[in-house]
Amino acid sequence: MPTVAIVGRPNVGKSALFNRLAKRRIAIVHDQPGVTRDRISAPCMVTAHPCTIVDTGGIGSTLDDGFAEQVTLEADIALETADLILFVVDGQEGLTTIDEALAQKLRKAKSPVLLIINKVDHEKHDHAHTEMTRLGLGNGLEISAEHGRGFAELTAVIDEHLAPLAGEIEEVVAESQESGIRLAIVGKPNAGKSSLVNAIVQSDRTIVSDIAGTTRDAIDLPYQFKDEKFTLVDTAGLRPRTKRDESVEVFSAMRTEKAIRRADICLLVVDLASGVSAQDRKIAQLILKEKKPCLIVLNKFDLFHPGAPLKERQKEAKEQVRRELFFLHYAPFVCVSAKEGTAVTEVLAKVLSIKKTSQDVPSTGNLNRMLQMAFEVNPPPSAGKGTRRLKLYYATTAVNERYHTIPVPTFVLFVNDKSLSTQSYEQYLSNRLREVHPAPGIPVVFSIRSRRRRKLDPRSL
């Protein structure tokens, strides 16, 4: 699809404009300059012609954490690939020398540039374009990304620029609407999530730094592997709540948790060199709580007992992950080195294997025979001092493939009284089910429902 890039100096409202065009809060909006550091893309939801909008890091100013050069590079790449450029300036603050320098650069761009004068929130702010004509990019459009002023005119102008490209994209619109397998790449800060993404796509699409917390937004990157489409969602590293000292970090954590809920499968990236931490376990518990398919990626394997034989290193890694993440026992793992590019292709190959496994669901007959056998071998405990026990009448499987490419089947058990079921007995049934139907990477989800057997009416005989 055509690409519309949003550029400008920090804190002029680019992320607010991006969110309104996407009709959902994707980019972080904050009054702290330099919050957006990576290219973030999403389908535009307000134009008649489909397009992809790209939010870039603020360019033209010096950030205090050493990212200015890389952020500028990200914006330059967006300028090279965009079909239309939205140059955003602050209508209240007025022109700055950075705006003028950017305008000089944008006048040389191969694609059309549309000047957007943002923060014209009230009528008293109108006519801000008078000063902006000095940029040599026309009068510009006065809008308020926060309040929606001027957006009807803005979308009309965007559509006007996209109209010539509409005929070229009609054939690919349907395919581009599907994001393929959504992979949420999660883990604690500095575990190597962005390095893993870059190694997979073989491009420096996300910023990699030794500074923990570099990635603050959830970044969607499309990729194709073995004729299968993927969307890699690189998320911010989840810190312990007590260490989220910035409001931006709180927002980032919320985005990460939302990305987990929306994902088809989660890649839990663990820094194997430093070992499984308490924060790794908390993230794993969040994945378990959301009942998500999972693959554990043990990163930095090149630094894990480098002098020992390979088989011993692999055995030690397996023992460590199974010991520390025992409750996530259904998740397989791969040992990789994102920095060295070692075994990176095994990650997506394993994901495809998990997808194939999810489609192999036991039949209703086999499910009932297996569960009835489990009840006979180890009957449920009685409820207190009484004689009532959990009884299984019937079991079936519900699979919803509409919303996820890797669906998690729900095993629906109809019983006499669901209050008689215990967590320990459900775990026992889960273990027995896995013996017959292993399904690596897929959690076992039970839905237990009470159903009384109807008494037979003699009149019906």
Side-chain angles (χ1 to χ4, degrees):
M1 287 192 291
T3 300
V4 178
I6 303 174
V7 300
R9 62 181 173 85
N11 212 28
V12 294
K14 298 184 300 298
S15 294
L17 174 59
F18 176 91
N19 287 339
R20 189 168 287 275
L21 291 173
K23 293 189 75 172
R24 55 194 177 108
R25 293 181 63 84
I26 301 173
I28 294 176
V29 179
H30 199 275
D31 57 5
Q32 177 181 329
V35 170
T36 302
R37 292 168 167 173
D38 294 285
R39 284 170 288 160
I40 305 170
S41 62
C44 183
M45 305 300 293
V46 298
T47 53
H49 298 296
C51 65
T52 298
I53 49 175
V54 180
D55 184 17
T56 64
I59 57 179
S61 100
T62 302
L63 303 180
D64 58 4
D65 53 9
F67 290 102
E69 184 177 350
Q70 282 189 272
V71 169
T72 303
L73 176 62
E74 295 291 334
D76 287 341
I77 295 174
L79 296 181
E80 287 294 321
T81 58
D83 298 289
L84 175 64
I85 300 169
L86 305 183
F87 175 34
V88 185
V89 294
D90 189 328
Q92 294 186 28
E93 188 175 335
L95 281 181
T96 68
T97 55
I98 299 174
D99 292 323
E100 293 175 346
L102 276 172
Q104 184 177 2
K105 183 176 183 178
L106 292 174
R107 285 197 296 268
K108 301 176 184 178
K110 62 181 181 179
S111 301
V113 179
L114 185 59
L115 178 64
I116 306 297
I117 307 171
N118 191 28
K119 301 186 182 181
V120 184
D121 302 332
H122 309 285
E123 292 181 359
K124 64 181 181 180
H125 297 143
D126 288 346
H127 310 298
H129 67 272
T130 304
E131 180 187 15
M132 303 301 177
T133 56
R134 290 165 39 194
L135 296 175
L137 296 171
N139 290 335
L141 291 175
E142 295 182 340
I143 70 163
S144 170
E146 183 176 354
H147 301 290
R149 288 192 72 202
F151 258 74
E153 183 181 3
L154 172 61
T155 54
V157 174
I158 293 176
D159 274 322
E160 182 181 338
H161 282 86
L162 296 179
L165 302 173
E168 301 176 11
I169 65 172
E170 288 180 357
E171 297 180 358
V172 297
V173 169
E175 181 181 355
S176 62
Q177 289 176 340
E178 300 177 3
S179 60
I181 302 174
R182 290 188 63 83
L183 280 72
I185 302 172
V186 297
K188 67 180 182 182
N190 219 23
K193 299 181 296 298
S194 294
S195 295
L196 178 64
V197 171
N198 289 338
I200 290 174
V201 303
Q202 298 180 359
S203 169
D204 293 331
R205 289 294 305 274
T206 59
I207 294 176
V208 178
S209 171
D210 291 334
I211 302 175
T214 300
T215 303
R216 287 177 169 177
D217 287 303
I219 305 165
D220 289 11
L221 301 175
Y223 187 66
Q224 188 159 326
F225 176 76
K226 291 187 177 181
D227 298 325
E228 185 85 41
K229 290 190 298 182
F230 292 84
T231 297
L232 311 180
V233 185
D234 184 16
T235 64
L238 278 175
R239 300 174 185 267
R241 290 185 181 274
T242 55
K243 294 185 179 180
R244 297 177 192 171
D245 52 355
E246 294 182 32
S247 58
V248 174
E249 282 206 29
V250 176
F251 297 151
S252 296
M254 293 169 60
R255 294 290 153 72
T256 298
E257 292 166 2
K258 184 177 180 180
I260 290 175
R261 290 193 294 270
R262 292 177 55 223
D264 295 308
I265 184 171
C266 296
L267 301 188
L268 174 57
V269 182
V270 175
D271 183 349
L272 189 58
S274 61
V276 178
S277 67
Q279 189 61 15
D280 291 320
R281 288 189 286 272
K282 289 182 180 179
I283 299 171
Q285 288 170 350
L286 180 60
I287 295 172
L288 183 67
K289 177 184 175 183
E290 295 296 334
K291 302 179 177 64
K292 287 295 179 181
C294 181
L295 172 64
I296 302 172
V297 180
L298 301 177
N299 191 27
K300 305 183 184 181
F301 186 60
D302 55 315
L303 303 178
F304 183 70
H305 303 310
L310 178 60
K311 289 186 177 181
E312 291 185 11
R313 295 168 62 205
Q314 292 174 334
K315 180 180 178 182
E316 175 62 26
K318 179 180 179 180
E319 291 177 353
Q320 185 175 132
V321 71
R322 292 305 175 215
R323 180 176 63 251
E324 300 293 342
L325 300 176
F326 63 91
F327 52 89
L328 207 63
H329 57 85
Y330 68 87
F333 68 92
V334 291
C335 297
V336 307
S337 171
K339 184 178 180 180
E340 302 294 332
T342 306
V344 170
T345 56
E346 291 185 22
V347 174
L348 296 187
K350 200 73 173 179
V351 170
L352 291 180
S353 175
I354 292 173
K355 178 186 177 183
K356 185 177 180 180
T357 297
S358 70
Q359 298 169 344
D360 182 20
V361 180
S363 66
T364 301
N366 289 336
L367 177 64
N368 279 272
R369 282 190 291 272
M370 187 280 299
L371 290 175
Q372 290 291 356
M373 180 64 70
F375 269 71
E376 292 175 8
V377 172
N378 183 17
S382 59
K385 297 180 180 180
T387 58
R388 296 188 68 203
R389 294 177 184 268
L390 182 71
K391 293 181 180 180
L392 175 66
Y393 296 148
Y394 184 74
T396 187
T397 306
V399 182
N400 191 339
E401 299 182 6
R402 180 178 180 184
Y403 300 107
H404 295 285
T405 58
I406 305 181
V408 176
T410 298
F411 299 101
V412 185
L413 310 185
F414 296 99
V415 300
N416 58 333
D417 186 351
K418 66 179 182 180
S419 66
L420 298 175
S421 177
T422 63
Q423 186 176 357
S424 61
Y425 198 74
E426 288 182 30
Q427 185 60 54
Y428 159 72
L429 294 178
S430 174
N431 294 339
R432 292 302 302 267
L433 182 59
R434 285 205 179 276
E435 292 176 6
V436 180
H437 185 73
I442 306 296
V444 172
V445 179
F446 288 120
S447 175
I448 301 180
R449 306 177 187 179
S450 300
R451 171 165 294 184
R452 292 184 179 180
R453 282 181 168 172
R454 295 178 180 176
K455 293 183 178 180
L456 189 62
D457 188 347
R459 292 174 294 179
S460 65
L461 297 176

